[in-house]
């Protein structure tokens, strides 16, 4: 159930935040190409892009958004769905971000990791039983699709029904994000290793 190298990586990842040290990137994208061109409408020129901007730090579209805007209806639906999963989630922040980051590691989704690393640090907490079981959920959703009764039962000990639904939506949704961002090589991160501590 437990993965000692990943637990060590999580602890090393969270230590700066636990010590009160800020380690946040100023820039979230490297502005490298994807497999399809980015579309970045000027503010005020596209209502879908403007709606996405309201969710983004500083109102700046990400490279992910630039790819999504190739398909306007998809971009609008994605924004609405991930607004619910990411921004209106009932999960404690540390569990939500662990699910997202663990999914990124399992799927070699560096772009996803880099986008959530700062949030993960901000939500950092000591790795306890709840996070370990949440990590098992992320592992089972990514690797098996099916989640064992044992893992579900352990989750149900500390998450209510709404939180269980949000946990599955987060793990499943970010598996979708991983496959989308890696498959389209957003920000040229497809062949870049996820930068987690290895020792």
């Amino acid at each position: 159930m437990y993965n000692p190298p990943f637990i060590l990586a999580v602890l090393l990842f969270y230590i700066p935040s636990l010590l009160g040290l800020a380690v946040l990137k100023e820039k979230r994208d490297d502005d490298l190409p994807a497999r399809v061109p980015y579309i970045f409408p000027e503010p005020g020129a596209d209502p879908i892009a403007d709606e996405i901007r309201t969710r983004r730090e500083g109102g700046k579209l990400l490279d992910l958004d630039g790819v999504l805007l190739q398909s306007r209806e998809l971009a609008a639906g994605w924004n609405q769905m991930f607004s619910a999963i990411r921004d209106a989630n009932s999960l404690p922040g540390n569990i939500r971000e662990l699910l997202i980051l663990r999914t990124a590691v399992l799927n070699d989704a560096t772009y996803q990791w880099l986008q959530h690393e700062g949030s993960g640090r901000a939500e950092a907490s000591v790795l306890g039983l709840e996070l370990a079981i949440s990590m098992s959920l992320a592992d089972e959703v990514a690797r098996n699709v099916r989640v064992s009764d044992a893992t579900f039962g352990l989750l149900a000990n500390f998450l209510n029904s709404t939180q269980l639904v949000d946990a599955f939506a987060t793990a499943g949704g970010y598996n979708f994000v991983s496959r989308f961002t890696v498959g389209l090589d957003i920000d040229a991160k497809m062949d870049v290793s996820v930068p987690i501590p290895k020792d």
Side-chain angles (χ1 to χ4, degrees), residues 51-52 54-56 78-91 96-97 100 116 119 166 170 174:
E51 184 63 30
I52 295 169
T54 65
R55 286 189 54 231
R56 298 297 185 209
W78 182 292
N79 187 53
Q80 186 173 8
M81 183 173 81
F82 281 96
S83 178
I85 290 175
R86 178 70 174 68
D87 305 326
N89 198 311
S90 67
L91 291 173
R96 180 194 66 234
E97 294 303 321
I100 294 168
H116 289 273
S119 298
D166 284 345
T170 301
Y174 278 90

Side-chain angles (χ1 to χ4, degrees), residues 65-84:
D65 305 320
V67 167
L68 285 166
L69 285 164
Q70 284 285 357
S71 175
R72 294 176 45 72
E73 293 305 315
L74 177 63
W78 182 292
N79 187 53
Q80 186 173 8
M81 183 173 81
F82 281 96
S83 178

Side-chain angles (χ1 to χ4, degrees), residues 9-26:
V10 168
L11 290 173
L12 291 173
F13 172 78
Y14 283 138
I15 286 172
S17 292
L18 293 171
L19 298 175
L21 303 173
V23 187
L24 300 177
K25 291 172 47 177
E26 288 182 30

Side-chain angles (χ1 to χ4, degrees), residues 148-159:
S148 69
D149 289 339
T151 298
F152 186 87
L154 290 169
L155 282 168
N157 286 328
F158 62 89
L159 296 179

Side-chain angles (χ1 to χ4, degrees), residues 46-166:
D46 182 312
I48 294 173
D50 289 343
E51 184 63 30
I52 295 169
R53 280 186 180 93
T54 65
R55 286 189 54 231
R56 298 297 185 209
E57 188 177 316
K60 182 182 184 300
L61 295 175
L62 301 175
D63 287 351
L64 169 63
D65 305 320
V67 167
L68 285 166
L69 285 164
Q70 284 285 357
S71 175
R72 294 176 45 72
E73 293 305 315
L74 177 63
W78 182 292
N79 187 53
Q80 186 173 8
M81 183 173 81
F82 281 96
S83 178
I85 290 175
R86 178 70 174 68
D87 305 326
N89 198 311
S90 67
L91 291 173
N94 61 343
I95 292 175
R96 180 194 66 234
E97 294 303 321
L98 177 70
L99 290 171
I100 294 168
L101 290 169
R102 180 63 176 162
T103 299
V105 169
L106 293 170
N107 294 327
D108 294 319
T110 299
Y111 184 83
Q112 179 176 320
W113 174 275
L114 293 172
Q115 294 302 317
H116 289 273
E117 182 179 14
S119 298
R121 289 182 187 279
E123 296 290 349
S125 63
V126 175
L127 185 64
L129 184 60
E130 292 178 358
L131 289 179
I133 295 166
S134 299
M135 190 164 33
S136 293
L137 171 67
D139 289 359
E140 291 181 34
V141 168
R143 292 178 175 154
N144 309 331
V145 180
R146 290 173 176 79
V147 173
S148 69
D149 289 339
T151 298
F152 186 87
L154 290 169
L155 282 168
N157 286 328
F158 62 89
L159 296 179
N160 64 37
S161 294
T162 301
Q163 291 172 320
L164 285 166
V165 169
D166 284 345

